[in-house]
Each structure stands twice: as C-alpha cells, then as structure tokens.
Amino acid sequence: MDRYLMGEYDVVVIGAGHAGCEAALASARLGMKTIMFSINLEAIAMMPCNPAIGGTGKGHLVREIDALGGEMGINIDKTFIQSRMLNTAKGPAVHSLRAQADKAWYHREMKKTIEKEPNLDMKQDEIVDLEIQEISKETSGKSEKIVTGVITKTGGIYKAKAVIIATGTFLRGKIFIGESVTESGPNGLAPANELSEKLKGYGIELRRFKTGTPARALAQTFDYSQMTEQKGDEEIVPFSFMNDKLERDQVSCWLTYTNEKTHDVIRANFHRSALFGGQIEGIGPRYCPSIEDKVNRFKDKERHQLFIEPEGLDTEEMYIQGMSSSLPEDVQRDFYHTIKGLENITITRPAYAIEYDCIDPLTLKPSLESKVISGLFCAGQFNGSSGYEEAAAQGLMAGINAVMEISGKEPVVLGRDEAYIGVLIDDLVTKGTNEPYRIMTSRAEYRLLLRQDNADDRLTELSHSLGLASKERYEKYIKKKEEVAREHLRLKETLIKSEDINPLLLKVGSTPVDRSISLEELLKRPELTYEILEEVDPLRPTLSHHARAQVAVEIKYSGYIAKQKDQVEKFKRKEGQILPENLDYLSMEGLRIEAAQKLDKMRPLSVGQASRISGVSPADINVLLVHLEKMRRNKGNDN
C-alpha cells in the first residue's frame, strides 16, 4: 500500500477514551499542535462499563484531575443524573464522591469540548504502526529508538514529536459470551488488530488482561417494589472546584441481591463459562470479579449485592452493576430471573468478558514515557490499569509530560505524598501489576493529607505554573485559600463563654467546660461538627462549600495531619537520594541476585523508588546505601 504524508503535529494521541481525551486536551492547552485518533469517534469518552464517575479512591483522582486543569470533573458536573458522597460514616480521608452519569450526554459534552479546543484535531482512523528512527549513541555504541510519527490503516503518515498510546481495551480485543468468541472492541466496536505486532517488533512487552461488563435490561421490566431505593444526596457536592453549587433533579438507583437459586444456576454452568473453560487467557481484575468468579471464590457468601443504575435520561436501559459475566446468554437469562425484582426483565445487551493487549508498566519511566522508545508515552488501560478515573489521570500526566519532553523540560512526576495520581503511577511503574490495577484509599500511605477537600490546595499551584490552570481557576483558588486562612484565625480567636456552650455540649453528650473556650478547641471534639457549632456562632461568615469542608477537617484532625507531615519529611529524604544512572547493580557486593536483577531492569531514580520495587528488601536497600556512601567518600578523596 502506498503511504503519504497527511500532516505534521507536535503530539499524536492514539485512542479517544478517558485517557486519550485528557492527554489530547492537556497537550493542546499547553500550546502543542495535537491530533487524537479513534477507530470510531462515537467512542470518545465512551463508558462501555458502569455509567458512573468517582467512587472510593476514584473520587480523589477526579478531584486531582480537576485541580490540575483536566476535564473529567467539569464534564461529570455537566452530565450527572445522581450524586452521592460515599463513606460518610468514616473519616474524611476516605470520603469519596460518586456521580451517576448520563452516558450519551457525557460522551456528547466531551466530544463538543474536544471539537472546540484550539490546537486539537480529531480523526476517525486506525493506527496500525509507528514511525521509528534509530539513532546510534556515540558514547555507548548502542542505538536509541525514537518515535517520529504514526501510520494509519489507509496509509496516511502523521509526523509527531511525541506519541501517546491510550488504546484502552481495543488492542486485539476479543469478546466472550459463553462459547461465543468474537474479535471486537468494547460495545461491539471494531478492534485494533495490527498495532500489537508492530509494538512487539519494536521491543515493547505486551500481555493479555481481561475485564467484563454486566447485562443491560429495559427499565419497565424491573419490579422496583422488591428492591431498595437509593436516592441522591440532598446537598449536591460538585466534582469540579469551578462549581460552588449544583442543582438538578436526580434519578434513583436500586439495590437488590443474588440468592442461593442464583448461585445454583451459576454453579451448574461453570463448565460453560469462558472464564473457567480455558478460552480466556487474560488475567481479570481482583477487585471487580465476574459473578461466576464471586460464586466460585466466596463459597460461604449467601448473597452478593447488585445495583440497578439508569444508563441515562433518554434511554430505558438499566445497568446491572456487580454482575459481569462470561456465561452463555441462556444461562444469564436464567440466573438474572432468580433475583428479586429481576424475575421478568428483558435483557437488551448480555454481559460479556473482553480480553485485550496491554503493556508491562515496569517498562515505563515515572513520566509514563517508554524506556524502550523515546518520545513514546503510554496511558490508561494500556498500562494495565482499570477504570475511567485511573485512565484519565494517566492520560493527563502523559499529555503534560509529552509536552515537557518536546519543550526540553524536566518531567512532572507527582510524589506519593502529593497526590493519589502519584500513588497510582508509582505503583504501576515501580511495583508493576499482574492484574488490572484499581486505585484504593488503602494504597496511599498519607491518605489524611490526600483528601478530596484539599486537592486544589495540593495541585493548583503546579497546574498554574505549567499553564494548565486558567486565570479564572487560579484566582478562585487564591480567594478560597484566603477564605480558609481567615476562618482558621477567626475560629482560633473566637471564645465562647461556658454558660453559652454547656447546654449544647450536654445535648450532644460532650463534657461541659468551666471557662471560655475557642471555637477551634470545640471543633476538635469528636461529638461536635462545624455545622453543630453554628448554634453558638451567630457571626459566622458564609463560606463556600470547598472552604468550609477544608477548614473543618484541618482543625478536627490537626494532630493526625501533623504526624503524617512528619512521616512525609522522612519519606522525602529517601526520595531525595538520587541514584546514578550508571550504577552497576549486578556486580554490587552484598546485593541479593533477585534484587540486583530487579534494580538493573528497573533502573530506579531514587532510593525511595528502589525500596518500593517488589523483591527488593530493606536489607538490599541498606547495601545500596552503604555503596552510595562509599561512592561519596571516594569522590571526596579524589577531590
């Protein structure tokens, strides 16, 4: 086939899912001429699985994407149909916002945003190859691979200074419904079957992962009287810092459960499942298993909960959350019909499992650039993660770092103490993953510092310095920062007389006082909240939701926050110990063979990163530190 030059760009993005959209928008907004490719433009910001954004851990990512100038938070605030804050009975570190999305509306709004973005083109086409240039290094005699463009299925060549792969589940995608196996991307779209082999030829390591999605069924065929209604929160908390208040008529979701009859149907048909029948070679997600996997693994559980969620306002399709499957269609019909409220549902789309190619993230730098090909960045499910939010976070960082690479600047790498995005990427590129990776609050060591309410505080200054935060966002952030500081001071200086506060203290079961006490001291008591104290605080100013939430948490948990800040200082000392690029780990005396091999392959940037590599023990780190000290002394003696 003849090839022909179709265009020259700074950045090419392969894929238009949640990772691709954030990558392309970040690149374009930072002034780079960018083009984003999709096999089908209807796949832009598509939600082939659950119709929701946020949730435990994931809500933190969305807030951070927003603080860095990304689009996901803004887009879900435009298109949500129900909003709930999860885990409110627990501490603020694990409070997580989750919003039910209108799938079609979410796609349309994101597509519209991309269409209107200066410097950004989009194209419906399949990328089948990269253009790679090999340059010989004079110092080592080795050759370096550099990406210089992409090639489309129709023969078009698009030159580029950087390329971002964000292919989601499209690479050699296969859909499994029982014995039926179809080459397909998600939602019945065409797969990308040619790029994988080319990537392998360039030395990129690929492997197979699997994920799945439940069935959809017609809303009018459910019996809601047998299910528990779940309404949205009365006070809607926005995802985006740019929104102070949101009002919308919300739809309900519904809760029901599987039962022993359901499990009996599934157990009787294990042999017909693609998962257990051997057809699927890919590894599935541990934290979002299929229903047959749940029944097999958790034999003692009498039931599993399911959420019935609307797909949107202009469709009658409902999503059966918590029940993905690769069982045949007739078995699916039978087990769904055993569940309360689902006895007579009409299934419009059966559940399926999808298998796809992805990269080993250990072959990526913390900037998400490939260690094999310079200028090639990777993001999203292609990196072995799962979830829209994880994908969007990586896409944003890949977009930023592609621009840094082109501009000759240092990459932007967020620390584990700075953001959940930093935890996510560090886990992937340092520890790797043997299954689709999902962010969780438990993965963050400093989660009391990485709360939803202070994401803007942690990341807006960085976003502004990069040029991603708009003037409006930055001014709004500065205003909120000043608002928080003023309220901290007011609460510290405002004293409440004992006779005024004791009736309230007795009412809530708190110990009375025999002196005047500050509002700050009162707020530290577990029985009292910022809202409760309004009763004795008549001169309280009207604060934005964002400022109010941050002030309340910072005062109530001030002792714990101070302890975590001390831990971070110790952590930073390790991260600050940079490892020379040319360290010979394989001949380092005292280092175990496994550790030496892992360190040699990974080439960590710091002692901190080295300590987090699977297979590298504290004893190995001590050997490394001794070696670095010897190097430092020898260097001093040479001088």
Side-chain angles (χ1 to χ4, degrees), residues 164-396:
I164 301 170
I165 300 179
T167 46
T169 60
F170 280 86
L171 284 188
R172 291 201 308 126
K174 277 187 184 178
I175 280 182
F176 298 84
I177 303 174
E179 298 89 352
S180 170
V181 182
T182 309
E183 289 190 354
S184 175
N187 245 7
L189 295 175
N193 285 332
E194 297 183 45
L195 185 58
S196 287
E197 289 306 313
K198 299 292 184 182
L199 293 176
K200 288 179 187 175
Y202 298 130
I204 300 286
E205 294 179 35
L206 297 181
R207 55 216 180 138
R208 298 289 275 177
F209 272 5
K210 174 209 80 106
T211 187
T213 190
R216 278 72 156 176
L218 286 177
Q220 62 267 34
T221 62
F222 288 86
D223 181 357
Y224 301 101
S225 67
Q226 296 195 68
M227 298 187 277
T228 304
E229 186 175 10
Q230 288 198 314
K231 295 184 176 182
D233 292 343
E234 283 188 24
E235 182 185 0
I236 298 170
V237 178
F239 266 112
S240 178
F241 180 69
M242 299 307 290
N243 295 315
D244 290 320
K245 192 175 181 182
L246 295 171
E247 291 185 7
R248 190 160 306 160
D249 291 335
Q250 299 185 66
V251 300
S252 290
C253 296
W254 304 84
L255 175 65
T256 186
Y257 297 88
T258 64
N259 53 60
E260 275 305 315
K261 285 184 180 177
T262 317
H263 301 171
D264 287 343
V265 172
I266 292 166
R267 277 190 286 262
N269 288 280
F270 274 159
H271 64 287
R272 297 184 65 194
S273 165
L275 179 65
F276 299 130
Q279 297 98 313
I280 295 177
E281 58 181 278
I283 302 166
R286 180 187 314 183
Y287 300 102
C288 189
S290 64
I291 189 62
E292 56 264 39
D293 204 12
K294 287 181 188 178
V295 171
N296 184 50
R297 282 164 53 187
F298 308 112
K299 296 178 174 65
D300 57 326
K301 290 202 77 169
E302 295 178 1
R303 64 180 193 171
H304 298 280
Q305 67 180 10
L306 308 175
F307 296 95
I308 312 304
E309 304 171 338
E311 294 258 286
L313 298 176
D314 297 322
T315 176
E316 289 297 308
E317 285 190 292
M318 302 289 278
Y319 180 88
I320 306 173
Q321 171 77 282
M323 211 164 187
S324 65
S325 178
S326 65
L327 282 160
E329 206 170 348
D330 62 310
V331 179
Q332 290 187 38
R333 175 200 60 205
D334 292 347
F335 70 61
Y336 280 122
H337 284 176
T338 64
I339 298 165
K340 279 189 176 181
L342 278 64
E343 294 91 343
N344 298 300
I345 59 166
T346 299
I347 296 171
T348 54
R349 308 184 201 208
Y352 65 81
I354 184 167
E355 188 181 78
Y356 54 94
D357 286 344
C358 58
I359 197 172
D360 181 352
L362 292 177
T363 62
L364 300 175
K365 300 175 185 177
S367 63
L368 296 180
E369 184 181 16
S370 168
K371 293 177 181 177
V372 179
I373 302 172
S374 295
L376 181 67
F377 293 79
C378 306
Q381 284 187 272
F382 181 67
N383 288 354
S385 65
S386 71
Y388 310 142
E389 302 82 2
E390 289 90 340
Q394 293 171 70
L396 177 63

Side-chain angles (χ1 to χ4, degrees), residues 27 58 60 77 115 136 174 186 210 220 247 265 283 326 342 393 432 475 518 547 558:
S27 168
K58 293 168 179 283
H60 293 72
D77 279 356
E115 289 167 344
S136 180
K174 277 187 184 178
K210 174 209 80 106
Q220 62 267 34
E247 291 185 7
V265 172
I283 302 166
S326 65
L342 278 64
E475 287 175 352
S518 72
S558 56

Side-chain angles (χ1 to χ4, degrees), residues 9 14 78 80 95 105 129 161 188-189 227 237 302 326 373 407 489 491 541 608:
Y9 289 85
I14 306 172
K78 291 178 189 174
F80 76 92
H95 290 181
W105 192 8
D129 201 356
K161 296 171 186 172
L189 295 175
M227 298 187 277
V237 178
E302 295 178 1
S326 65
I373 302 172
S407 307
L489 184 61
L491 292 170

Side-chain angles (χ1 to χ4, degrees), residues 597-611:
Q597 290 173 342
K598 290 273 182 78
L599 290 164
D600 184 62
K601 181 181 179 182
M602 289 285 303
R603 313 304 302 179
L605 301 178
S606 68
V607 172
Q609 189 184 10
S611 70

Side-chain angles (χ1 to χ4, degrees), residues 47-81:
M47 293 181 170
C49 200
N50 61 312
I53 295 293
T56 304
K58 293 168 179 283
H60 293 72
L61 288 177
V62 183
R63 282 282 177 85
E64 292 174 356
I65 291 164
D66 182 70
L68 285 167
E71 196 65 24
M72 179 172 266
I74 292 170
N75 207 55
I76 186 59
D77 279 356
K78 291 178 189 174
T79 60
F80 76 92
I81 54 179

